Amino acid sequence: MLFTSYGFIAFIAILFVVYYIVPKKWQWPLLLMASGVFYWIADPRYLIFIFVTSLSAWGCGVLMARINDGQALYLKEHADTVTKDEKKALKAKNKKRKWHILLACLILNIGILAVTKYTDFVIDNINNAFHSGLHKVDLIIPMGISFYTFQTMSYIIDAYRGTVTPERNPFKLALFTSFFPQLVQGPINRYGDLSKTLYEPHRFSEKVFSMGLMRILWGYFKKVVVADRMITAVTMLVSDTDTYTGAYVFVAMFFYAFELYCDFTGGIDITIGIAQALGITMKENFNLPYFSKDIKEYWNRWHISMGSWFTDYIFYPLSVSPRMLKLSKWSREHLGKVIGKRVTVYLAAFIVWFTTGLWHGAAWNFIVWGLMNFVVIMISQELAPLYSKFHKKFGFKGKSWYTVFEIIRTIFLMSLIRMFDCYRNVPMTFKMVGTMFTRFRLKIFTDGSLLKLGLTKYDYIVLAVALIVILSVSIFKYNRGEVRTKLYEKPWLWYGAMSALFIVIIVFGAYGIGYDSTQFIYNQF
Amino acid sequence: MEELMDILTELHPDVDYDTCTTLVDDRIIDSFDIISIISEVAARLDVQIPAEEIIPENFNSAKSLWELIERLENE
């Protein structure tokens, strides 16, 4: 069931009504049922996978809780007699037991993710390397498996670390795993954040509900007015690689940057908006990513839940593991302090970016995309002292024109790296990007070529106005905060804006004969 | 504490670690810096900071970081 289908809109409309009518204690079970229905409609077989993930995480969490309880009880009962060393030994023993439980849970769930998503990729590579004729298995890939697996694994790791209390109610944990708005394309919520409001009873609040509704409308505006309008042109540009070279690649690069932004942030707006209308708070997944001044800042603002997941659960544990610290010590002693202190950080960052690429898809273009990010981050890290000297000498840093330059530079760089996502073929991407420099002809911008990409003059006007609106809202947010909060202060403005947005979506949405709204780009990840 | 101050100053000489309490929140130090600090602390102070302790509250100031080190030493 697509977010943009009439069926889905009817589904959430009914849910909103029933949610606020039923007794408050039935609200979260109702969400669990709704999530089950949502997933069942997508494909009943998916339910088996999410059930296994949820049940295993619940079981492992309960086992860890029992160990914690047993330890607490023992230390309480023997408070007067237990020595510091005995206490330490008991904690170490229990930590080891919990580690084994965690490991079993991770192996099972990451195993399911790996088998369903990457088996054909491995077979492909074996066939290419050894010229063997292994047949692809073509397993079903449950919708959102990358998202809900990572989300559930964050829960069990946090339970192991003791930063969250394990959930004893299997149905509550099942809701955390399967809450339907996040299943399509994330965000990857943390149990410690989402559980604060997910299970609470919620009274209807006009403000909270209409804020959520406005957010949903804003998301639909970005998805159906902009992203769905651009998809034909982007698909055409990246599919016909003989015709669309040179300046067309440049056009594809920026079209895709705008399309992806509207598709992904629009989808997340709908997700967070639905949750908000239900009284549930989700953490933001974006913070004006195209206002970033460098690539590191970009990754702190784009797909925040994914970036922080990789940082918290791979980069940090890997970097501070005893083996890495040993390697750090060894490299300092043998390679000198300057190189030595970089070895472990760069090695961990390499692994993180390789994994990030692989998480996005079972294909080499995603892995190369991840590694390109790694390379750029490392280069900017190494050039940082040089930049610092440059800025001290010339004093450009902080000047508005220089900030604009930094923002444009980052957008260009990120859009360029993202071309690996567009062409889905590494050598082809390099070739096409190369033509941008060898076959760049400005003529296509003036001879009407851009009107042959499935976009009419009318479409370009709609897109230009939409770009201005989105940019204005973003600039307002950057300087003064959320537009929604300001609009809500004046009811006539609030309901006027909401009605206008609704009409714009109906009138300017990319509908028409043969219209078939597309799934969100991030749904495939 | 002096050793820790040396580690931090070597990383970012122009930061006033006596007063700054938003090292992570204001992105004065990033994830790479945090790993450098942890490696240095392990090498010079022989204290290993585990991953679960890498939270902004522990790294936002030199004082909170020192408190963390002392707590881990006493555990």
Side-chain angles (χ1 to χ4, degrees), chain A residues 453-468:
Chain A
L453 299 172
L455 291 171
T456 61
K457 271 185 190 167
Y458 163 79
D459 288 319
Y460 279 108
I461 293 167
V462 171
L463 289 173
V465 174
L467 176 64
I468 292 166

Side-chain angles (χ1 to χ4, degrees), chain A residues 259-286:
Chain A
E259 184 209 344
L260 183 68
Y261 173 83
C262 289
D263 189 277
F264 196 15
T265 66
I268 292 292
D269 282 331
I270 297 170
T271 297
I272 295 179
I274 292 171
Q276 193 176 5
L278 295 165
I280 297 158
T281 309
M282 270 188 196
K283 274 204 160 182
E284 292 298 332
N285 205 31
F286 296 97

Side-chain angles (χ1 to χ4, degrees), chain A residues 84 88 95 160-161 163 294 296-298 300 311-312 315-317 319-320 322 325 328-329 332 337 341 344-346 349 377-378 381 392, chain B residues 10-11 14 24 27 30-44 47-55 72-75:
Chain A
K84 201 179 168 184
K88 214 172 170 180
K95 195 167 184 187
Y160 165 76
R161 289 175 172 178
T163 50
D294 56 62
K296 265 193 184 177
E297 188 184 353
Y298 172 87
N300 282 320
T311 306
D312 290 346
F315 182 70
Y316 284 148
S319 305
V320 302
L325 290 177
S328 170
K329 199 177 170 189
R332 278 157 202 259
K337 203 175 172 186
K341 71 177 189 181
T344 49
V345 177
Y346 286 8
I377 289 173
M378 292 311 112
Q381 180 80 9
K392 266 183 190 159
Chain B
E10 279 169 27
L11 205 61
D14 40 1
V24 177
R27 290 185 67 221
D30 60 17
S31 55
F32 283 14
D33 294 328
I34 288 174
I35 298 307
S36 296
I37 293 167
I38 292 175
S39 305
E40 290 292 336
V41 166
R44 296 203 219 170
V47 173
Q48 295 199 353
I49 300 173
E52 57 264 35
E53 297 289 359
I54 309 176
I55 50 172
L72 291 170
E73 260 179 333
N74 293 329
E75 263 182 13

Side-chain angles (χ1 to χ4, degrees), chain A residues 57-78:
Chain A
W58 170 77
C60 290
V62 167
L63 287 174
M64 286 183 191
R66 279 188 190 161
I67 292 171
N68 292 341
D69 292 347
Q71 180 177 291
L73 189 69
Y74 179 85
L75 292 176
K76 196 182 166 190
E77 283 175 352
H78 300 81

Side-chain angles (χ1 to χ4, degrees), chain A residues 34-332:
Chain A
S35 302
V37 170
F38 179 81
Y39 221 45
W40 183 78
I41 290 172
D43 191 329
R45 292 174 300 174
Y46 293 170
L47 283 168
I48 302 165
F49 292 89
I50 205 160
F51 177 76
V52 169
T53 297
S54 190
L55 188 71
S56 61
W58 170 77
C60 290
V62 167
L63 287 174
M64 286 183 191
R66 279 188 190 161
I67 292 171
N68 292 341
D69 292 347
Q71 180 177 291
L73 189 69
Y74 179 85
L75 292 176
K76 196 182 166 190
E77 283 175 352
H78 300 81
D80 300 330
T81 52
V82 73
T83 64
K84 201 179 168 184
D85 285 342
E86 283 171 340
K87 202 171 159 184
K88 214 172 170 180
L90 178 72
K91 281 185 178 176
K93 187 182 144 200
N94 284 337
K95 195 167 184 187
K96 204 169 185 184
R97 286 169 68 197
K98 284 193 283 183
W99 168 247
H100 288 140
I101 295 167
L102 172 69
L103 209 59
C105 193
L106 290 176
I107 290 171
L108 173 70
N109 288 287
I110 303 290
I112 293 172
L113 175 67
V115 170
T116 52
K117 202 169 162 180
Y118 301 102
T119 304
D120 280 347
F121 177 59
V122 173
I123 290 173
D124 251 350
N125 282 293
I126 292 172
N127 283 344
N128 287 337
F130 303 106
H131 304 290
S132 51
L134 295 173
H135 291 291
K136 284 190 180 183
V137 286
D138 203 18
L139 293 169
I140 59 159
I141 304 174
M143 183 174 72
I145 188 169
S146 305
F147 292 101
Y148 76 69
T149 302
F150 270 38
Q151 176 160 316
T152 316
M153 292 310 97
S154 79
Y155 158 77
I156 201 68
I157 295 169
D158 287 349
Y160 165 76
R161 289 175 172 178
T163 50
V164 300
T165 309
E167 177 57 66
R168 308 218 176 215
N169 185 330
F171 299 104
K172 281 190 173 178
L173 193 71
L175 175 59
F176 168 71
T177 307
S178 65
F179 184 40
F180 73 91
Q182 72 197 3
L183 281 178
V184 176
Q185 53 173 1
I188 305 167
N189 287 295
R190 302 287 176 92
Y191 181 78
D193 298 323
L194 195 63
S195 64
K196 283 178 194 159
T197 53
L198 188 61
Y199 313 120
E200 292 298 306
H202 298 284
R203 290 171 72 89
F204 180 80
S205 150
E206 185 276 331
K207 183 181 179 181
V208 171
F209 186 77
S210 67
M211 279 277 186
L213 211 56
M214 183 67 112
R215 184 91 189 246
I216 295 170
L217 287 173
W218 183 239
Y220 276 119
F221 167 72
K222 287 196 262 187
K223 170 69 177 160
V224 298
V225 177
V226 181
D228 283 355
R229 175 166 266 109
M230 300 188 81
I231 194 161
T232 318
V234 174
T235 309
M236 203 183 268
L237 285 165
V238 300
S239 307
D240 187 352
T241 48
D242 292 327
T243 311
Y244 299 116
T245 58
Y248 281 113
V249 180
F250 187 77
V251 172
M253 187 171 87
F254 284 107
F255 272 21
Y256 186 62
F258 191 34
E259 184 209 344
L260 183 68
Y261 173 83
C262 289
D263 189 277
F264 196 15
T265 66
I268 292 292
D269 282 331
I270 297 170
T271 297
I272 295 179
I274 292 171
Q276 193 176 5
L278 295 165
I280 297 158
T281 309
M282 270 188 196
K283 274 204 160 182
E284 292 298 332
N285 205 31
F286 296 97
N287 180 20
L288 304 171
Y290 285 165
F291 283 11
S292 308
K293 294 180 282 297
D294 56 62
I295 188 168
K296 265 193 184 177
E297 188 184 353
Y298 172 87
W299 279 111
N300 282 320
R301 290 172 174 270
W302 174 274
H303 206 350
I304 298 165
S305 64
M306 184 204 68
S308 65
W309 196 99
F310 277 101
T311 306
D312 290 346
Y313 300 113
I314 296 188
F315 182 70
Y316 284 148
L318 197 63
S319 305
V320 302
S321 63
R323 276 186 192 176
M324 276 293 209
L325 290 177
K326 222 180 249 178
L327 175 66
S328 170
K329 199 177 170 189
W330 181 90
S331 47
R332 278 157 202 259

